[in-house]
Amino acid sequence: AQSVTQPDIHITVSEGASLELRCNYSYGATPYLFWYVQSPGQGLQLLLKYFSGDTLVQGIKGFEAEFKRSQSSFNLRKPSVHWSDAAEYFCAGGYNKLIFGAGTRLAVHP
Amino acid sequence: DGGITQSPKYLFRKEGQNVTLSCEQNLNHDAMYWYRQDPGQGLRLIYYSQIVNDFQKGDIAEGYSVSREKKESFPLTVTSAQKNPTAFYLCASSTPREAFFGQGTRLTVV
């Protein structure tokens, strides 16, 4: 069955520290892959997406993600986290319908 | 401005009543989706539609119904058969390469 897994439910980092949020997918072939961010009570905002080509994808707000076929992963990274990055992050994948992971809630300590 | 509009933002209903959540888009997208969000469970797909007058069940369709009579509109009815309807509901529309989300409707059934 198609699935997207985010192993970490909560992550806490200090402001200025680096960040990596994990995402693994299970599909017959490489799906389209996305990272979204959600602030409390709001809809989802697209951070970045991968379809094909360069496996390192740049997104908004200084985020990037690397697609690794051998690991079926699409991890999100940011070199230096800001307090405003505290939110919930969702990885998603799919072809004709989007399937979401359970989300990772990021807390940022000053 | 193009986008997706969900209304209302907050909705309260008594147990046993059906309630319909509105979702309208002016992005000219063929595909539309309804997701349910509960804490710690990410976004779960309720129904999706890839063309007018056609829709498919997602992973948790029981107790819900939809219609797609117009390209712009994809209303979701939460019926009295839905055992635990209190949740945050998100509507989305998409091209093959990107999904756009509304701001969500928080439904509380008392």
mmCIF file of all heavy atoms in Angstrom, chain A residues 47-91:
data_model
loop_
_atom_site.group_PDB
_atom_site.id
_atom_site.type_symbol
_atom_site.label_atom_id
_atom_site.label_comp_id
_atom_site.label_asym_id
_atom_site.label_seq_id
_atom_site.Cartn_x
_atom_site.Cartn_y
_atom_site.Cartn_z
ATOM 1 N N LEU A 47 6.172 24.212 1.074
ATOM 2 C CA LEU A 47 7.563 24.621 1.240
ATOM 3 C C LEU A 47 8.383 24.283 0.005
ATOM 4 O O LEU A 47 9.184 25.098 -0.453
ATOM 5 C CB LEU A 47 8.186 23.907 2.442
ATOM 6 C CG LEU A 47 7.735 24.359 3.828
ATOM 7 C CD1 LEU A 47 8.349 23.453 4.882
ATOM 8 C CD2 LEU A 47 8.123 25.806 4.077
ATOM 9 N N LEU A 48 8.233 23.077 -0.497
ATOM 10 C CA LEU A 48 8.986 22.657 -1.671
ATOM 11 C C LEU A 48 8.392 21.363 -2.223
ATOM 12 O O LEU A 48 7.558 20.730 -1.582
ATOM 13 C CB LEU A 48 10.470 22.480 -1.337
ATOM 14 C CG LEU A 48 10.834 21.687 -0.073
ATOM 15 C CD1 LEU A 48 10.679 20.200 -0.254
ATOM 16 C CD2 LEU A 48 12.258 22.037 0.365
ATOM 17 N N LYS A 49 8.856 20.998 -3.414
ATOM 18 C CA LYS A 49 8.323 19.808 -4.074
ATOM 19 C C LYS A 49 9.403 19.190 -4.955
ATOM 20 O O LYS A 49 10.327 19.866 -5.411
ATOM 21 C CB LYS A 49 7.104 20.163 -4.919
ATOM 22 C CG LYS A 49 7.372 21.259 -5.939
ATOM 23 C CD LYS A 49 6.075 21.788 -6.515
ATOM 24 C CE LYS A 49 6.342 22.968 -7.447
ATOM 25 N NZ LYS A 49 5.096 23.615 -7.925
ATOM 26 N N TYR A 50 9.257 17.880 -5.175
ATOM 27 C CA TYR A 50 10.185 17.150 -6.029
ATOM 28 C C TYR A 50 9.387 16.299 -7.009
ATOM 29 O O TYR A 50 8.475 15.562 -6.619
ATOM 30 C CB TYR A 50 11.094 16.246 -5.196
ATOM 31 C CG TYR A 50 11.942 15.334 -6.041
ATOM 32 C CD1 TYR A 50 13.089 15.814 -6.663
ATOM 33 C CD2 TYR A 50 11.576 14.002 -6.254
ATOM 34 C CE1 TYR A 50 13.852 14.987 -7.465
ATOM 35 C CE2 TYR A 50 12.331 13.176 -7.046
ATOM 36 C CZ TYR A 50 13.472 13.668 -7.651
ATOM 37 O OH TYR A 50 14.218 12.867 -8.457
ATOM 38 N N PHE A 51 9.773 16.395 -8.283
ATOM 39 C CA PHE A 51 9.146 15.552 -9.293
ATOM 40 C C PHE A 51 10.183 14.653 -9.948
ATOM 41 O O PHE A 51 9.972 13.464 -10.112
ATOM 42 C CB PHE A 51 8.457 16.400 -10.363
ATOM 43 C CG PHE A 51 7.435 17.331 -9.799
ATOM 44 C CD1 PHE A 51 7.450 18.680 -10.112
ATOM 45 C CD2 PHE A 51 6.450 16.877 -8.947
ATOM 46 C CE1 PHE A 51 6.507 19.545 -9.583
ATOM 47 C CE2 PHE A 51 5.499 17.732 -8.410
ATOM 48 C CZ PHE A 51 5.535 19.074 -8.740
ATOM 49 N N SER A 52 11.291 15.242 -10.358
ATOM 50 C CA SER A 52 12.346 14.484 -11.010
ATOM 51 C C SER A 52 13.561 15.401 -11.101
ATOM 52 O O SER A 52 13.507 16.569 -10.721
ATOM 53 C CB SER A 52 11.919 14.019 -12.403
ATOM 54 O OG SER A 52 11.695 15.125 -13.248
ATOM 55 N N GLY A 53 14.664 14.860 -11.610
ATOM 56 C CA GLY A 53 15.840 15.700 -11.835
ATOM 57 C C GLY A 53 16.698 15.833 -10.601
ATOM 58 O O GLY A 53 16.897 14.871 -9.854
ATOM 59 N N ASP A 54 17.199 17.024 -10.379
ATOM 60 C CA ASP A 54 18.115 17.304 -9.282
ATOM 61 C C ASP A 54 17.518 16.835 -7.956
ATOM 62 O O ASP A 54 16.396 17.221 -7.598
ATOM 63 C CB ASP A 54 18.417 18.797 -9.222
ATOM 64 C CG ASP A 54 19.602 19.116 -8.328
ATOM 65 O OD1 ASP A 54 20.015 18.229 -7.541
ATOM 66 O OD2 ASP A 54 20.105 20.248 -8.397
ATOM 67 N N THR A 55 18.270 16.031 -7.231
ATOM 68 C CA THR A 55 17.715 15.428 -6.015
ATOM 69 C C THR A 55 17.736 16.366 -4.822
ATOM 70 O O THR A 55 17.142 16.054 -3.793
ATOM 71 C CB THR A 55 18.480 14.150 -5.661
ATOM 72 O OG1 THR A 55 19.866 14.467 -5.527
ATOM 73 C CG2 THR A 55 18.304 13.090 -6.741
ATOM 74 N N LEU A 56 18.414 17.478 -4.927
ATOM 75 C CA LEU A 56 18.417 18.489 -3.868
ATOM 76 C C LEU A 56 17.504 19.624 -4.311
ATOM 77 O O LEU A 56 17.761 20.283 -5.308
ATOM 78 C CB LEU A 56 19.831 18.995 -3.597
ATOM 79 C CG LEU A 56 19.976 19.943 -2.408
ATOM 80 C CD1 LEU A 56 19.566 19.252 -1.101
ATOM 81 C CD2 LEU A 56 21.412 20.455 -2.317
ATOM 82 N N VAL A 57 16.443 19.831 -3.548
ATOM 83 C CA VAL A 57 15.405 20.788 -3.923
ATOM 84 C C VAL A 57 15.418 21.960 -2.946
ATOM 85 O O VAL A 57 15.431 21.758 -1.730
ATOM 86 C CB VAL A 57 14.016 20.119 -3.891
ATOM 87 C CG1 VAL A 57 12.946 21.108 -4.288
ATOM 88 C CG2 VAL A 57 13.994 18.902 -4.796
ATOM 89 N N GLN A 58 15.406 23.149 -3.489
ATOM 90 C CA GLN A 58 15.358 24.348 -2.648
ATOM 91 C C GLN A 58 13.916 24.825 -2.524
ATOM 92 O O GLN A 58 13.143 24.775 -3.495
ATOM 93 C CB GLN A 58 16.219 25.446 -3.270
ATOM 94 C CG GLN A 58 17.679 25.069 -3.449
ATOM 95 C CD GLN A 58 18.369 24.786 -2.130
ATOM 96 O OE1 GLN A 58 18.146 25.465 -1.136
ATOM 97 N NE2 GLN A 58 19.214 23.743 -2.113
ATOM 98 N N GLY A 59 13.568 25.297 -1.347
ATOM 99 C CA GLY A 59 12.222 25.781 -1.136
ATOM 100 C C GLY A 59 12.200 27.181 -0.555
ATOM 101 O O GLY A 59 13.213 27.880 -0.557
ATOM 102 N N ILE A 60 11.051 27.550 -0.041
ATOM 103 C CA ILE A 60 10.905 28.872 0.556
ATOM 104 C C ILE A 60 11.408 28.850 1.999
ATOM 105 O O ILE A 60 11.619 27.778 2.575
ATOM 106 C CB ILE A 60 9.446 29.345 0.514
ATOM 107 C CG1 ILE A 60 8.555 28.417 1.343
ATOM 108 C CG2 ILE A 60 8.952 29.423 -0.922
ATOM 109 C CD1 ILE A 60 7.139 28.940 1.520
ATOM 110 N N LYS A 61 11.608 30.021 2.558
ATOM 111 C CA LYS A 61 12.000 30.204 3.954
ATOM 112 C C LYS A 61 13.317 29.522 4.303
ATOM 113 O O LYS A 61 13.558 29.177 5.462
ATOM 114 C CB LYS A 61 10.904 29.687 4.903
ATOM 115 C CG LYS A 61 9.553 30.311 4.675
ATOM 116 C CD LYS A 61 8.545 29.851 5.708
ATOM 117 C CE LYS A 61 7.185 30.485 5.468
ATOM 118 N NZ LYS A 61 6.229 30.203 6.549
ATOM 119 N N GLY A 62 14.185 29.309 3.320
ATOM 120 C CA GLY A 62 15.491 28.732 3.584
ATOM 121 C C GLY A 62 15.518 27.226 3.737
ATOM 122 O O GLY A 62 16.536 26.648 4.131
ATOM 123 N N PHE A 63 14.422 26.549 3.452
ATOM 124 C CA PHE A 63 14.370 25.096 3.551
ATOM 125 C C PHE A 63 14.860 24.425 2.266
ATOM 126 O O PHE A 63 14.737 24.985 1.175
ATOM 127 C CB PHE A 63 12.935 24.631 3.830
ATOM 128 C CG PHE A 63 12.489 24.877 5.239
ATOM 129 C CD1 PHE A 63 11.800 26.030 5.571
ATOM 130 C CD2 PHE A 63 12.754 23.944 6.234
ATOM 131 C CE1 PHE A 63 11.388 26.274 6.869
ATOM 132 C CE2 PHE A 63 12.339 24.174 7.540
ATOM 133 C CZ PHE A 63 11.659 25.337 7.860
ATOM 134 N N GLU A 64 15.388 23.226 2.433
ATOM 135 C CA GLU A 64 15.754 22.386 1.314
ATOM 136 C C GLU A 64 15.421 20.942 1.665
ATOM 137 O O GLU A 64 15.210 20.609 2.845
ATOM 138 C CB GLU A 64 17.240 22.499 0.959
ATOM 139 C CG GLU A 64 18.167 21.980 2.036
ATOM 140 C CD GLU A 64 19.632 22.074 1.627
ATOM 141 O OE1 GLU A 64 19.986 22.949 0.810
ATOM 142 O OE2 GLU A 64 20.430 21.263 2.135
ATOM 143 N N ALA A 65 15.328 20.104 0.667
ATOM 144 C CA ALA A 65 15.066 18.688 0.903
ATOM 145 C C ALA A 65 15.867 17.874 -0.102
ATOM 146 O O ALA A 65 16.095 18.313 -1.236
ATOM 147 C CB ALA A 65 13.589 18.364 0.773
ATOM 148 N N GLU A 66 16.283 16.700 0.322
ATOM 149 C CA GLU A 66 17.063 15.838 -0.542
ATOM 150 C C GLU A 66 16.333 14.530 -0.768
ATOM 151 O O GLU A 66 15.945 13.848 0.197
ATOM 152 C CB GLU A 66 18.439 15.560 0.049
ATOM 153 C CG GLU A 66 19.324 14.754 -0.902
ATOM 154 C CD GLU A 66 20.756 14.653 -0.428
ATOM 155 O OE1 GLU A 66 21.029 15.006 0.738
ATOM 156 O OE2 GLU A 66 21.601 14.220 -1.237
ATOM 157 N N PHE A 67 16.128 14.182 -2.006
ATOM 158 C CA PHE A 67 15.500 12.920 -2.386
ATOM 159 C C PHE A 67 16.584 11.852 -2.502
ATOM 160 O O PHE A 67 17.571 12.031 -3.215
ATOM 161 C CB PHE A 67 14.774 13.073 -3.722
ATOM 162 C CG PHE A 67 14.323 11.772 -4.321
ATOM 163 C CD1 PHE A 67 13.305 11.057 -3.723
ATOM 164 C CD2 PHE A 67 14.906 11.269 -5.473
ATOM 165 C CE1 PHE A 67 12.888 9.854 -4.261
ATOM 166 C CE2 PHE A 67 14.493 10.069 -6.022
ATOM 167 C CZ PHE A 67 13.479 9.352 -5.415
ATOM 168 N N LYS A 68 16.388 10.754 -1.775
ATOM 169 C CA LYS A 68 17.324 9.637 -1.850
ATOM 170 C C LYS A 68 16.532 8.375 -2.206
ATOM 171 O O LYS A 68 15.862 7.780 -1.349
ATOM 172 C CB LYS A 68 18.059 9.452 -0.527
ATOM 173 C CG LYS A 68 19.016 10.585 -0.202
ATOM 174 C CD LYS A 68 19.817 10.297 1.062
ATOM 175 C CE LYS A 68 20.819 11.405 1.325
ATOM 176 N NZ LYS A 68 21.627 11.145 2.556
ATOM 177 N N ARG A 69 16.649 7.959 -3.448
ATOM 178 C CA ARG A 69 15.886 6.811 -3.926
ATOM 179 C C ARG A 69 16.261 5.546 -3.165
ATOM 180 O O ARG A 69 15.406 4.741 -2.820
ATOM 181 C CB ARG A 69 16.124 6.614 -5.426
ATOM 182 C CG ARG A 69 15.273 5.522 -6.051
ATOM 183 C CD ARG A 69 15.713 5.251 -7.493
ATOM 184 N NE ARG A 69 15.721 6.469 -8.275
ATOM 185 C CZ ARG A 69 14.661 6.955 -8.888
ATOM 186 N NH1 ARG A 69 13.515 6.339 -8.815
ATOM 187 N NH2 ARG A 69 14.759 8.072 -9.608
ATOM 188 N N SER A 70 17.552 5.379 -2.890
ATOM 189 C CA SER A 70 18.015 4.137 -2.245
ATOM 190 C C SER A 70 17.440 3.977 -0.842
ATOM 191 O O SER A 70 17.298 2.857 -0.345
ATOM 192 C CB SER A 70 19.546 4.126 -2.180
ATOM 193 O OG SER A 70 20.009 5.226 -1.417
ATOM 194 N N GLN A 71 17.113 5.095 -0.218
ATOM 195 C CA GLN A 71 16.557 5.060 1.136
ATOM 196 C C GLN A 71 15.065 5.365 1.155
ATOM 197 O O GLN A 71 14.470 5.422 2.229
ATOM 198 C CB GLN A 71 17.309 6.062 2.022
ATOM 199 C CG GLN A 71 18.787 5.758 2.154
ATOM 200 C CD GLN A 71 19.523 6.813 2.954
ATOM 201 O OE1 GLN A 71 18.931 7.590 3.684
ATOM 202 N NE2 GLN A 71 20.845 6.840 2.818
ATOM 203 N N SER A 72 14.480 5.596 0.003
ATOM 204 C CA SER A 72 13.063 5.991 -0.079
ATOM 205 C C SER A 72 12.775 7.136 0.885
ATOM 206 O O SER A 72 11.783 7.135 1.621
ATOM 207 C CB SER A 72 12.139 4.805 0.227
ATOM 208 O OG SER A 72 12.285 3.791 -0.725
ATOM 209 N N SER A 73 13.671 8.122 0.860
ATOM 210 C CA SER A 73 13.522 9.223 1.811
ATOM 211 C C SER A 73 13.493 10.568 1.103
ATOM 212 O O SER A 73 13.986 10.719 -0.026
ATOM 213 C CB SER A 73 14.675 9.208 2.824
ATOM 214 O OG SER A 73 15.890 9.556 2.202
ATOM 215 N N PHE A 74 12.912 11.511 1.794
ATOM 216 C CA PHE A 74 12.817 12.890 1.290
ATOM 217 C C PHE A 74 12.861 13.797 2.514
ATOM 218 O O PHE A 74 11.872 14.373 2.919
ATOM 219 C CB PHE A 74 11.529 13.078 0.490
ATOM 220 C CG PHE A 74 11.410 14.396 -0.218
ATOM 221 C CD1 PHE A 74 12.383 14.806 -1.124
ATOM 222 C CD2 PHE A 74 10.315 15.220 -0.008
ATOM 223 C CE1 PHE A 74 12.274 16.012 -1.794
ATOM 224 C CE2 PHE A 74 10.196 16.441 -0.677
ATOM 225 C CZ PHE A 74 11.174 16.831 -1.574
ATOM 226 N N ASN A 75 14.042 13.916 3.107
ATOM 227 C CA ASN A 75 14.204 14.637 4.371
ATOM 228 C C ASN A 75 14.309 16.137 4.153
ATOM 229 O O ASN A 75 14.971 16.599 3.217
ATOM 230 C CB ASN A 75 15.433 14.136 5.108
ATOM 231 C CG ASN A 75 15.269 12.690 5.560
ATOM 232 O OD1 ASN A 75 14.175 12.128 5.505
ATOM 233 N ND2 ASN A 75 16.362 12.099 5.999
ATOM 234 N N LEU A 76 13.697 16.872 5.050
ATOM 235 C CA LEU A 76 13.684 18.334 5.001
ATOM 236 C C LEU A 76 14.782 18.877 5.905
ATOM 237 O O LEU A 76 14.949 18.403 7.030
ATOM 238 C CB LEU A 76 12.316 18.852 5.474
ATOM 239 C CG LEU A 76 12.101 20.354 5.453
ATOM 240 C CD1 LEU A 76 11.971 20.860 4.020
ATOM 241 C CD2 LEU A 76 10.858 20.728 6.257
ATOM 242 N N ARG A 77 15.488 19.889 5.432
ATOM 243 C CA ARG A 77 16.594 20.444 6.216
ATOM 244 C C ARG A 77 16.560 21.965 6.200
ATOM 245 O O ARG A 77 16.050 22.595 5.264
ATOM 246 C CB ARG A 77 17.940 19.969 5.652
ATOM 247 C CG ARG A 77 18.102 18.467 5.633
ATOM 248 C CD ARG A 77 19.533 18.072 5.400
ATOM 249 N NE ARG A 77 20.024 18.508 4.099
ATOM 250 C CZ ARG A 77 20.460 17.688 3.152
ATOM 251 N NH1 ARG A 77 20.415 16.381 3.355
ATOM 252 N NH2 ARG A 77 20.928 18.153 2.019
ATOM 253 N N LYS A 78 17.151 22.512 7.270
ATOM 254 C CA LYS A 78 17.376 23.956 7.317
ATOM 255 C C LYS A 78 18.640 24.171 8.132
ATOM 256 O O LYS A 78 18.768 23.617 9.226
ATOM 257 C CB LYS A 78 16.190 24.690 7.935
ATOM 258 C CG LYS A 78 16.326 26.213 7.854
ATOM 259 C CD LYS A 78 15.040 26.918 8.225
ATOM 260 C CE LYS A 78 15.191 28.414 8.016
ATOM 261 N NZ LYS A 78 13.946 29.176 8.302
ATOM 262 N N PRO A 79 19.592 24.960 7.645
ATOM 263 C CA PRO A 79 20.875 25.092 8.331
ATOM 264 C C PRO A 79 20.796 25.862 9.644
ATOM 265 O O PRO A 79 21.558 25.591 10.572
ATOM 266 C CB PRO A 79 21.751 25.835 7.309
ATOM 267 C CG PRO A 79 20.826 26.419 6.311
ATOM 268 C CD PRO A 79 19.586 25.606 6.324
ATOM 269 N N SER A 80 19.868 26.795 9.764
ATOM 270 C CA SER A 80 19.777 27.604 10.974
ATOM 271 C C SER A 80 18.309 27.946 11.222
ATOM 272 O O SER A 80 17.700 28.700 10.468
ATOM 273 C CB SER A 80 20.603 28.882 10.824
ATOM 274 O OG SER A 80 20.480 29.689 11.977
ATOM 275 N N VAL A 81 17.766 27.403 12.299
ATOM 276 C CA VAL A 81 16.330 27.544 12.567
ATOM 277 C C VAL A 81 16.039 28.865 13.275
ATOM 278 O O VAL A 81 16.782 29.296 14.159
ATOM 279 C CB VAL A 81 15.857 26.352 13.431
ATOM 280 C CG1 VAL A 81 14.439 26.582 13.923
ATOM 281 C CG2 VAL A 81 15.934 25.069 12.627
ATOM 282 N N HIS A 82 14.940 29.479 12.896
ATOM 283 C CA HIS A 82 14.461 30.714 13.510
ATOM 284 C C HIS A 82 13.251 30.383 14.372
ATOM 285 O O HIS A 82 12.525 29.415 14.106
ATOM 286 C CB HIS A 82 14.102 31.717 12.396
ATOM 287 C CG HIS A 82 13.776 33.081 12.877
ATOM 288 N ND1 HIS A 82 12.477 33.523 13.074
ATOM 289 C CD2 HIS A 82 14.576 34.123 13.209
ATOM 290 C CE1 HIS A 82 12.493 34.757 13.500
ATOM 291 N NE2 HIS A 82 13.751 35.147 13.595
ATOM 292 N N TRP A 83 12.986 31.221 15.386
ATOM 293 C CA TRP A 83 11.849 30.941 16.270
ATOM 294 C C TRP A 83 10.541 30.855 15.484
ATOM 295 O O TRP A 83 9.628 30.112 15.833
ATOM 296 C CB TRP A 83 11.729 32.003 17.372
ATOM 297 C CG TRP A 83 11.432 33.386 16.862
ATOM 298 C CD1 TRP A 83 12.320 34.378 16.568
ATOM 299 C CD2 TRP A 83 10.135 33.928 16.549
ATOM 300 N NE1 TRP A 83 11.670 35.479 16.094
ATOM 301 C CE2 TRP A 83 10.326 35.246 16.081
ATOM 302 C CE3 TRP A 83 8.828 33.435 16.628
ATOM 303 C CZ2 TRP A 83 9.277 36.060 15.692
ATOM 304 C CZ3 TRP A 83 7.769 34.252 16.244
ATOM 305 C CH2 TRP A 83 8.001 35.552 15.782
ATOM 306 N N SER A 84 10.446 31.586 14.377
ATOM 307 C CA SER A 84 9.210 31.605 13.590
ATOM 308 C C SER A 84 8.997 30.316 12.810
ATOM 309 O O SER A 84 7.934 30.126 12.196
ATOM 310 C CB SER A 84 9.219 32.786 12.626
ATOM 311 O OG SER A 84 10.311 32.680 11.727
ATOM 312 N N ASP A 85 9.984 29.424 12.816
ATOM 313 C CA ASP A 85 9.821 28.135 12.132
ATOM 314 C C ASP A 85 9.018 27.143 12.961
ATOM 315 O O ASP A 85 8.669 26.067 12.452
ATOM 316 C CB ASP A 85 11.191 27.532 11.812
ATOM 317 C CG ASP A 85 11.944 28.334 10.776
ATOM 318 O OD1 ASP A 85 11.291 28.860 9.844
ATOM 319 O OD2 ASP A 85 13.188 28.447 10.894
ATOM 320 N N ALA A 86 8.741 27.462 14.217
ATOM 321 C CA ALA A 86 7.942 26.564 15.045
ATOM 322 C C ALA A 86 6.566 26.377 14.421
ATOM 323 O O ALA A 86 5.829 27.353 14.207
ATOM 324 C CB ALA A 86 7.811 27.123 16.455
ATOM 325 N N ALA A 87 6.222 25.149 14.090
ATOM 326 C CA ALA A 87 4.985 24.832 13.376
ATOM 327 C C ALA A 87 4.904 23.314 13.240
ATOM 328 O O ALA A 87 5.736 22.583 13.775
ATOM 329 C CB ALA A 87 4.974 25.488 11.996
ATOM 330 N N GLU A 88 3.918 22.873 12.500
ATOM 331 C CA GLU A 88 3.837 21.442 12.184
ATOM 332 C C GLU A 88 4.182 21.250 10.708
ATOM 333 O O GLU A 88 3.717 22.016 9.851
ATOM 334 C CB GLU A 88 2.456 20.882 12.482
ATOM 335 C CG GLU A 88 2.392 19.362 12.363
ATOM 336 C CD GLU A 88 1.385 18.734 13.294
ATOM 337 O OE1 GLU A 88 0.464 19.437 13.745
ATOM 338 O OE2 GLU A 88 1.509 17.516 13.558
ATOM 339 N N TYR A 89 4.972 20.249 10.436
ATOM 340 C CA TYR A 89 5.473 20.009 9.095
ATOM 341 C C TYR A 89 4.960 18.666 8.591
ATOM 342 O O TYR A 89 5.022 17.653 9.294
ATOM 343 C CB TYR A 89 7.002 20.031 9.087
ATOM 344 C CG TYR A 89 7.547 21.408 9.360
ATOM 345 C CD1 TYR A 89 7.638 21.901 10.667
ATOM 346 C CD2 TYR A 89 7.949 22.237 8.323
ATOM 347 C CE1 TYR A 89 8.104 23.167 10.922
ATOM 348 C CE2 TYR A 89 8.434 23.511 8.571
ATOM 349 C CZ TYR A 89 8.497 23.968 9.861
ATOM 350 O OH TYR A 89 8.965 25.240 10.118
ATOM 351 N N PHE A 90 4.467 18.685 7.365
ATOM 352 C CA PHE A 90 3.912 17.480 6.766
ATOM 353 C C PHE A 90 4.643 17.143 5.483
ATOM 354 O O PHE A 90 4.829 17.990 4.618
ATOM 355 C CB PHE A 90 2.429 17.666 6.447
ATOM 356 C CG PHE A 90 1.558 17.781 7.662
ATOM 357 C CD1 PHE A 90 1.215 19.027 8.155
ATOM 358 C CD2 PHE A 90 1.096 16.651 8.306
ATOM 359 C CE1 PHE A 90 0.417 19.149 9.280
ATOM 360 C CE2 PHE A 90 0.296 16.764 9.434
ATOM 361 C CZ PHE A 90 -0.040 18.013 9.918
ATOM 362 N N CYS A 91 5.006 15.887 5.373
ATOM 363 C CA CYS A 91 5.520 15.350 4.131
ATOM 364 C C CYS A 91 4.358 14.682 3.402
ATOM 365 O O CYS A 91 3.466 14.091 4.036
ATOM 366 C CB CYS A 91 6.625 14.320 4.434
ATOM 367 S SG CYS A 91 7.389 13.577 3.001
#
